[in-house]
Amino acid sequence: MSLISDNLQAVLAHIHAYALESGRDPGQVDLLAVSKTFGADAVLEAAAAGQRRFGENYLQEALDKMQAVHAARPVLASPLEWHFIGPIQSNKTRPIAEHFAWVHSVDREKIARRLSEQRPDHLPALNICLQVNISGEESKSGVLPAEALAVAQQIAGLPRLNLRGLMAVPEASDDEHQQRQAFRQLKELSQSIQAAGIALDTLSMGMSSDMHAAIAEGSTMVRVGTAIFGSRNYAK
Ligand SMILES: *Cc1c(COP(=O)(O)O)cnc(C)c1O
């Protein structure tokens, strides 16, 4: 077995164990493999080991990779589901609307409106998570918690989008108590939006270093890169 396939099995085993430990159904926690900075070969290895969902942050890199993956192994590539999780410039929404199944990083109405207008008719509605700046860090993207309901209502009214839930990247912390606090805030925000009549089924939270806390607080999709593919080299 390859290293990637070993790592993938280990991450899936952790997800399973963490879900059971929290009294949750392991089937309710999906794994998004974050393949940014890694090549088509890495995606193909993970796909051959059974991984279907892949997350990407950089548009051009992602488009090139999708094409390379399809060209190399069309049968393996066709069931793959691509999720965009990086910052979105408004002049780059069209290729995102055309090539991805999910976008986790929507943080304003303008971006959502453009994605809805540009989603091709032959594709199902684009799945959306509203990104929330849960720690209120100035440098972070995401709507502030106080604005989340209003933006969620706007997104829910757009015809070619399917608002699925909330996403957050909390302030990094080694302290599991702090990690859980941020994830709990996101979960509570999701509950309050649902109480206002908007159906949500997704909490996109948890990465390699805080998966345990995220699953304990109700994550339904962990976005894991390093623990599957190794550490990233941005210099390349
Ligand atoms: C890079 C990235 C991840 C994966 O992080 P790891 O620590 O490598 O698991 C998850 N979510 C987002 C938004 C990212 O940019």
Side-chain angles (χ1 to χ4, degrees):
M1 278 211 299
S2 75
L3 184 62
I4 288 176
S5 129
D6 287 348
N7 289 345
L8 189 60
Q9 297 320 314
V11 168
L12 289 169
H14 281 132
I15 292 173
H16 193 94
Y18 298 163
L20 290 180
E21 186 190 309
S22 307
R24 302 185 55 207
D25 171 2
Q28 288 177 349
V29 187
D30 291 326
L31 173 60
L32 180 66
V34 177
S35 42
K36 65 177 177 217
T37 79
F38 292 94
D41 288 358
V43 169
L44 286 165
E45 270 187 58
Q51 178 62 26
R52 290 290 166 265
R53 297 181 184 85
F54 290 88
E56 290 284 339
N57 291 57
Y58 311 108
L59 181 60
Q60 193 54 52
E61 179 197 328
L63 298 176
D64 292 347
K65 200 176 302 180
M66 285 176 196
Q67 208 166 36
V69 166
H70 267 277
R73 302 281 302 275
V75 174
L76 200 55
S78 63
L80 301 187
E81 191 180 88
W82 294 91
H83 294 225
F84 193 78
I85 64 173
I88 305 172
Q89 293 168 265
S90 60
N91 62 344
K92 298 283 174 57
T93 49
R94 186 178 296 279
I96 295 176
E98 290 174 349
H99 292 279
F100 288 83
W102 284 68
V103 181
H104 293 231
S105 43
V106 171
D107 65 356
R108 53 198 192 277
E109 192 265 345
K110 179 184 178 187
I111 295 291
R113 190 164 25 84
R114 290 176 64 94
L115 289 171
S116 179
E117 285 165 5
Q118 294 168 346
R119 180 67 167 172
D121 287 334
H122 69 277
L123 295 176
L126 182 60
N127 295 296
I128 299 291
C129 291
L130 175 61
Q131 183 172 355
V132 181
N133 184 355
I134 203 72
S135 312
E137 288 172 274
E138 263 180 44
S139 59
K140 279 276 167 67
S141 15
V143 295
L144 291 173
E147 303 162 344
L149 174 60
V151 181
Q153 282 166 331
Q154 290 169 330
I155 297 174
L158 292 167
R160 298 290 292 138
L161 303 186
N162 184 6
L163 178 64
R164 299 294 297 269
L166 304 182
M167 182 274 239
V169 184
E171 192 169 9
S173 165
D174 292 338
D175 175 9
E176 173 135 3
H177 179 75
Q178 253 177 40
Q179 294 173 355
R180 285 191 61 157
Q181 209 165 21
F183 292 136
R184 194 174 317 131
Q185 283 168 4
L186 193 72
K187 175 178 64 184
E188 288 170 359
L189 186 59
S190 167
Q191 289 165 344
S192 70
I193 291 171
Q194 291 176 74
I198 296 178
L200 302 177
D201 64 9
T202 301
L203 272 177
S204 168
M205 59 189 200
M207 323 203 306
S208 296
S209 57
D210 53 15
M211 241 175 65
H212 185 261
I215 292 171
E217 294 297 342
S219 172
T220 67
M221 205 182 298
V222 288
R223 308 177 311 270
V224 178
T226 309
I228 298 171
F229 298 108
S231 41
R232 287 180 288 274
N233 176 4
Y234 287 98
K236 275 190 296 188

